[in-house]
Amino acid sequence: MSGISKLASGSRVAIVGGGIAGAGLAASLLFNGRARGVALDVRIYAGGTEERTAPPALLTPECRSRLAALGCRIPPEWRTHELRGVEIISQGERELLPCAPGGLWVVDGWPQGEGGLDQVRQVLSTAASSQGARFVNRNVERVERQAPAPDAPTAVRNAGPLVVRAQGSGERFHAVALAAGAGPLLGDAFFKGFRPAPSMPAVQARLKGAMVGRELMPVARLWVSPLPAVDALFLIPGAGSVYALAFGAAVTPADLCQVLMMAARDGLLEEGFEVAALETTRLPYGPGRTLVAPGQLVVGPAAFGHPLQVGLSETLASCSRAAVALLDGGLDAASLERRYVRDGLGELMEDAAAGARAVTWLRRAGKRAPAAFVAARSKHTLGSVYGGGVLGLNAPTPLSLLAAARWAGVREVVGSWLRTPMEPVPTMVPEVEPDLYYVVDDDADTREALTLLLESTGARVVSFADELALFCAVARRPPTAILLDVVLHWVDGLRLCEGLKQHPLTRDTRVLVMSGLNRPHVRQRALDAGAEAFLPKPVNPDRLLCQLTGRVPEPLGTPAIVRPASVEPFGEDRYAS
């Protein structure tokens, strides 16, 4: 058996990864093998495939056709939530890319049930199991290539040269496929020289009590470069929640939370949302290299992909092409390279490279980014044969988007050299409410003490235990001043201060930063972020009231550190601990 160049009846195949790519490859292998009269023994190592945040699934007509061809029954309830379009946003400019009728379904059951990707995986797993695939709930540690000893039993010699090591066990196979997504991979433990698709850090979250905008038509949103560390933010509405995904080379959970606060402030999300689940993940960011070895190959996001590829058509296409390549010549490296990579994945990998480069140019395009999507869509109305448009749409294709984004980026860069910078002026800035103060602190005792102190002077106080509502509150109802703690639950208070000072609706709001971290570098960072004053904790009541009113008491001790302003500057509070 080990001397043949393609899979024959009785061949054993291991698939590492029980997600959509793994289950899809198993179903495709068994379906195509049965059509050729080849009975295969397929094992799926499915340990650790679930994600807590449970992303939704976006299903295009092409994707639904591929699922049906693999023997999957499409539940009728999957059609209950259909997107009418995807809105592109960048620096205040917006464009809506409409979907064709019946074009893009959002499959999602979270929080009552499973996320959409989990539901699709279950349907594919059921199809694969019904055709004979067996799931092994163990994590694979490495794959070894061994020749059986000459005196080994016949069954061992015929079991294949590849040994899959999984949590203390080892089994022999003729072929092994890696379908473990874009996260942590086996690297050289899969085969020597293995170079998977590059990946980019991302943070995903589920939002409860939120809607994507106020439109009657359900739309998804892509906000390009809302923060320096965030290349883009996806907002995808589900039946009972909103899925949010932010990606960028240095993105953090705090970045995602701050962008969500900005989205609610700008009307992209309903106010009062709650972050119900949040975790880091990784997204494919281009094509991989060295994806095959004798009897071994990589499918799905581990092989190629880009952040704007939100559908599943490309992943399922790689599964079908990998199955055909393994059946035709999977045990010969040259044949597998030709049939699977060059002939099978050529167009998909070209699109993956173009999609990754397009993200960089969209950032450079700035306010021209939404128009770049429209220009690319109008020039190329049809996607490729596998439904390879970006954002789950049939158009624009990654290649056409790259061309349009590059041109828009060049125009924006050149235009920035020629024009005089002009800051946008909001159409209407709400008036500051006198004697209204916001207290933002996750410590209940501190909130209560400051509230009682300010209310004793006749002021009105709104306290925030959760900082996520702060941007909306300041933009809609500007206070006289904000008392802002540094250490909060979701976002660092200094970042929030900086964000308030950068937006025209909130930049004039007075911000006093409080912290028990009474260190020179923290004080300086607070002033650099735009704070009017830095107040060490525990906050001295006299000094706080002095700072808020601008009246300096006599005698005066060492005052708090403040920015130069209309009031007399103070030094550090001598009563601080």
Side-chain angles (χ1 to χ4, degrees), residues 169-314:
S169 68
E171 288 193 72
R172 289 184 172 273
F173 295 91
H174 298 94
V176 181
L178 180 62
L185 300 170
L186 296 176
D188 281 344
F190 183 56
F191 62 76
K192 188 176 181 180
F194 166 53
R195 296 179 65 182
S199 62
M200 170 172 280
V203 183
Q204 57 186 355
R206 282 287 190 165
L207 313 179
K208 294 172 63 177
M211 297 174 60
V212 177
R214 300 175 183 272
E215 296 87 347
L216 295 177
M217 295 190 307
V219 297
R221 286 199 165 98
L222 175 69
W223 189 359
V224 178
S225 190
L227 283 177
V230 179
D231 285 350
L233 168 74
F234 278 113
L235 295 173
I236 301 175
S241 68
V242 172
Y243 173 76
L245 174 73
F247 61 87
V251 70
T252 65
D255 291 320
L256 173 58
C257 292
Q258 184 168 344
V259 172
L260 293 175
M261 295 172 64
M262 296 163 59
R265 177 199 63 199
D266 296 345
L268 306 181
L269 284 173
E270 287 291 318
E271 299 178 30
F273 68 87
E274 174 190 348
V275 177
L278 184 146
E279 67 180 348
T280 58
T281 184
R282 298 193 71 86
L283 301 178
Y285 202 76
R289 299 175 61 185
T290 318
L291 300 179
V292 299
Q296 295 174 263
L297 52 72
V298 188
V299 298
F304 63 92
H306 58 87
L308 302 180
Q309 178 183 297
V310 298
L312 299 175
S313 297
E314 294 85 354

Side-chain angles (χ1 to χ4, degrees), residues 403-424:
R406 183 186 289 121
W407 174 238
V410 170
R411 291 179 62 195
E412 180 64 18
V413 171
V414 173
S416 67
W417 298 339
L418 303 177
R419 64 175 177 262
T420 302
M422 295 185 63
E423 203 163 331

Side-chain angles (χ1 to χ4, degrees), residues 22-84:
L25 176 57
S28 187
L29 263 175
L30 292 165
F31 178 83
N32 284 280
R34 184 171 290 106
R36 301 178 182 208
V38 176
L40 302 175
D41 179 5
V42 177
R43 308 284 180 92
I44 304 172
Y45 288 83
T49 58
E50 295 81 7
E51 288 185 288
R52 297 188 307 275
T53 307
L58 299 184
L59 300 186
T60 63
E62 170 68 19
C63 182
R64 300 194 294 269
S65 297
R66 290 187 178 276
L67 289 172
L70 292 175
C72 298
R73 184 188 69 83
I74 306 297
E77 60 269 19
W78 280 11
R79 193 174 186 174
T80 56
H81 191 63
E82 182 180 323
L83 288 183
R84 303 297 174 82

Side-chain angles (χ1 to χ4, degrees), residues 98-406:
C99 300
L104 196 55
W105 297 359
V106 179
V107 180
D108 196 27
W110 197 95
Q112 289 78 20
E114 295 179 317
L117 290 183
D118 285 339
Q119 292 183 44
V120 175
R121 177 179 58 83
Q122 288 289 350
V123 167
L124 275 168
S125 298
T126 300
S129 297
S130 66
Q131 298 184 54
R134 286 185 283 179
F135 285 79
V136 180
N137 191 25
R138 290 201 296 268
N139 292 311
V140 174
E141 299 155 1
R142 64 187 184 278
V143 177
E144 301 171 351
R145 185 173 297 276
Q146 295 181 355
D151 57 348
T154 302
V156 173
R157 291 199 303 270
N158 291 338
L162 297 171
V163 180
V164 174
R165 301 291 184 186
Q167 296 180 245
S169 68
E171 288 193 72
R172 289 184 172 273
F173 295 91
H174 298 94
V176 181
L178 180 62
L185 300 170
L186 296 176
D188 281 344
F190 183 56
F191 62 76
K192 188 176 181 180
F194 166 53
R195 296 179 65 182
S199 62
M200 170 172 280
V203 183
Q204 57 186 355
R206 282 287 190 165
L207 313 179
K208 294 172 63 177
M211 297 174 60
V212 177
R214 300 175 183 272
E215 296 87 347
L216 295 177
M217 295 190 307
V219 297
R221 286 199 165 98
L222 175 69
W223 189 359
V224 178
S225 190
L227 283 177
V230 179
D231 285 350
L233 168 74
F234 278 113
L235 295 173
I236 301 175
S241 68
V242 172
Y243 173 76
L245 174 73
F247 61 87
V251 70
T252 65
D255 291 320
L256 173 58
C257 292
Q258 184 168 344
V259 172
L260 293 175
M261 295 172 64
M262 296 163 59
R265 177 199 63 199
D266 296 345
L268 306 181
L269 284 173
E270 287 291 318
E271 299 178 30
F273 68 87
E274 174 190 348
V275 177
L278 184 146
E279 67 180 348
T280 58
T281 184
R282 298 193 71 86
L283 301 178
Y285 202 76
R289 299 175 61 185
T290 318
L291 300 179
V292 299
Q296 295 174 263
L297 52 72
V298 188
V299 298
F304 63 92
H306 58 87
L308 302 180
Q309 178 183 297
V310 298
L312 299 175
S313 297
E314 294 85 354
T315 293
L316 295 177
S318 73
C319 292
S320 63
R321 295 175 188 186
V324 171
L326 281 172
L327 287 165
D328 285 346
L331 306 185
D332 177 74
S335 176
L336 192 58
E337 171 73 26
R338 182 180 67 256
R339 291 174 182 269
Y340 178 55
V341 179
R342 285 185 291 174
D343 298 341
L345 297 184
E347 185 179 2
L348 293 166
M349 295 180 74
E350 186 179 40
D351 278 355
R357 291 200 301 270
V359 171
T360 301
W361 282 104
L362 288 171
R363 286 190 60 114
R364 297 175 183 173
K367 65 181 181 180
R368 301 177 190 268
F373 278 88
V374 175
R377 187 182 178 109
S378 63
K379 291 181 180 179
H380 301 269
T381 56
L382 295 177
S384 63
V385 294
Y386 57 87
V390 299
L391 305 178
L393 307 170
N394 65 333
T397 63
L399 286 170
S400 63
L401 178 60
L402 173 60
R406 183 186 289 121

